Amino acid sequence: EAGVAQSPRYKIIEKRQSVAFWCNPISGHATLYWYQQILGQGPKLLIQFQNNGVVDDSQLPKDRFSAERLKGVDSTLKIQPAKLEDSAVYLCASSLDTPRDGYGYTFGSGTRLTVV
Amino acid sequence: AQKVTQAQTEISVVEKEDVTLDCVYETRDTTYYLFWYKQPPSGELVFLIRRNSFDEQNEISGRYSWNFQKSTSSFNFTITASQVVDSAVYFCALSEPRRTGKLIFGQGTELSVKP
């Protein structure tokens, strides 16, 4: 099966600009996650969707970050306006359902954002 | 609160040495899962192992082995006879299926295996 697709692979923007990342999960996967991985740190969950509903967005900086998954399939994460500290890799992951058995997470290759 | 701590930021070994990566976790749940992921320079997260909280048996897979001890809340990872291709960042993670099922990662250990 195809993996989790993310684009773009790399992005360089100036601070205060806006940027959007796209994720297409594995077909049929109901749960979609966006993680932020700052250099030298482990990934941190930004937002979790179950179908097109938000399950957890407690760590999402809502003043500048937004995410949507309108049809319960692919998702877009947006940053507006970007700050220097937003430089990170943004990882998308999906699972068939909320992984209550601990299996099923598949990660994409990520989008590396550099804010200058 | 749920937390995963990997106290070793960087480890450097010479090829064929054994190396152990430490992981300590905190959770109030009795049902949880522990994971190890490998992140090579290309950036993707590669799943290595999953362990549930009711299974304390140690596991061996080729040169990899895992030691799960609930009494010390640790889930350590050993690579025997390390190889240059093992060079990567390794992450330990925790998930609590009775909550949202999200993964909580440690800060990672960067392993460098020199020839």
Side-chain angles (χ1 to χ4, degrees):
Chain A
E1 62 180 3
V4 175
Q6 289 190 248
S7 67
R9 191 77 173 90
Y10 303 94
K11 190 74 176 178
I12 301 175
I13 62 171
E14 295 182 351
K15 59 184 179 184
R16 291 188 288 274
Q17 285 188 326
S18 62
V19 65
F21 313 127
W22 175 81
C23 172
N24 192 17
I26 291 174
S27 178
H29 278 198
T31 305
L32 185 148
Y33 309 81
W34 281 103
Y35 285 85
Q36 179 193 56
Q37 185 179 12
I38 293 173
L39 186 64
Q41 299 182 19
K44 180 186 77 173
L45 182 73
L46 290 176
I47 189 166
Q48 177 181 346
F49 292 95
Q50 182 80 7
N51 296 308
N52 60 351
V54 175
V55 174
D56 183 351
D57 64 355
S58 57
Q59 299 294 301
L60 187 73
K62 298 180 185 64
D63 58 335
R64 297 183 301 105
F65 285 65
S66 64
E68 60 184 14
R69 194 184 183 200
L70 292 176
K71 298 180 180 177
V73 180
D74 56 349
S75 175
T76 304
L77 176 69
K78 296 179 181 177
I79 308 175
Q80 182 179 13
K83 292 185 176 181
L84 295 176
E85 59 260 34
D86 299 330
S87 294
V89 175
Y90 291 84
L91 293 161
C92 181
S94 70
S95 62
L96 191 60
D97 200 341
T98 301
R100 300 192 184 282
D101 63 356
Y103 280 115
Y105 303 96
T106 303
F107 283 86
S109 298
T111 295
R112 183 177 298 274
L113 173 68
T114 303
V115 183
V116 298
Chain B
Q2 313 92 10
K3 186 179 179 182
V4 176
T5 301
Q6 295 177 256
Q8 305 148 309
T9 305
E10 297 178 13
I11 299 177
S12 182
V13 300
V14 176
E15 208 170 17
K16 297 183 185 174
E17 286 186 10
D18 298 347
V19 58
T20 296
L21 310 182
D22 297 333
C23 173
V24 174
Y25 61 92
E26 295 175 31
T27 177
R28 283 177 284 187
D29 271 0
T30 56
T31 302
Y32 53 89
Y33 295 93
L34 295 166
F35 302 79
W36 277 95
Y37 282 86
K38 175 181 180 180
Q39 189 174 47
S42 52
E44 74 274 22
L45 281 167
V46 178
F47 168 81
L48 296 177
I49 190 171
R50 158 199 176 270
R51 215 66 183 143
N52 76 54
S53 52
F54 300 108
D55 183 1
E56 286 194 73
Q57 276 194 332
N58 291 331
E59 182 155 338
I60 298 174
S61 176
R63 297 184 297 106
Y64 295 170
S65 62
W66 291 270
N67 184 336
F68 177 26
Q69 292 195 335
K70 286 178 76 170
S71 60
T72 56
S73 296
S74 65
F75 186 43
N76 297 337
F77 173 30
T78 298
I79 302 174
T80 302
S82 60
Q83 300 176 1
V84 173
V85 293
D86 296 327
S87 297
V89 181
Y90 291 86
F91 290 97
C92 182
L94 165 75
S95 78
E96 296 172 333
R98 290 178 183 168
R99 300 176 192 265
T100 64
K102 70 181 181 184
L103 287 170
I104 299 158
F105 287 86
Q107 54 268 58
T109 297
E110 183 172 6
L111 174 64
S112 176
V113 182
K114 301 188 188 310

